[in-house]
Amino acid sequence: MSPELSLVVPVFNERENLAPLLLEIAAALRGTPYEVVAVDDGSTDGSLDELKHLKATDVALRIVCSSATAARPPRSRPGSRRRGALRS
């Protein structure tokens, strides 16, 4: 059965919150076909491993690993400060 609803959940260092979140989503959407697309954005706390562990028992969970932000040099990350002289 195809999901009627897709929830996209950004994940960055949220390991401890993932299981409770998925349980709350499952309770709230009981009876509705849904999927949860968890997008890990380079977590360093084991969030990706936790997602993989949770996927073993949660058929609605999809995992996407986004390394685009993690792979960029610090100066090009949103919110970072540029140091040094400006060049024309």
Side-chain angles (χ1 to χ4, degrees), residues 1-85:
M1 179 184 322
S2 295
E4 290 179 19
L5 178 66
S6 294
L7 299 170
V8 178
V9 178
V11 176
F12 184 75
N13 293 339
E14 293 289 343
R15 183 172 190 244
E16 298 298 319
N17 297 316
L18 294 170
L21 174 65
L22 293 175
L23 287 172
E24 287 186 34
I25 290 170
L29 297 177
R30 187 170 289 125
T32 302
Y34 72 94
E35 68 178 349
V36 175
V37 181
V39 182
D40 184 83
D41 198 14
S43 294
T44 58
D45 71 339
S47 291
L48 182 57
D49 291 334
E50 180 67 8
L51 286 168
K52 290 176 182 177
H53 173 75
L54 293 167
K55 177 144 179 64
T57 58
D58 190 340
V59 296
L61 179 60
R62 310 283 180 263
I63 303 169
V64 176
C65 298
S66 173
S67 60
T69 302
R72 287 189 287 199
R75 70 177 179 274
S76 65
R77 288 189 187 134
S80 65
R81 290 186 171 173
R82 182 177 276 265
R83 292 183 175 89

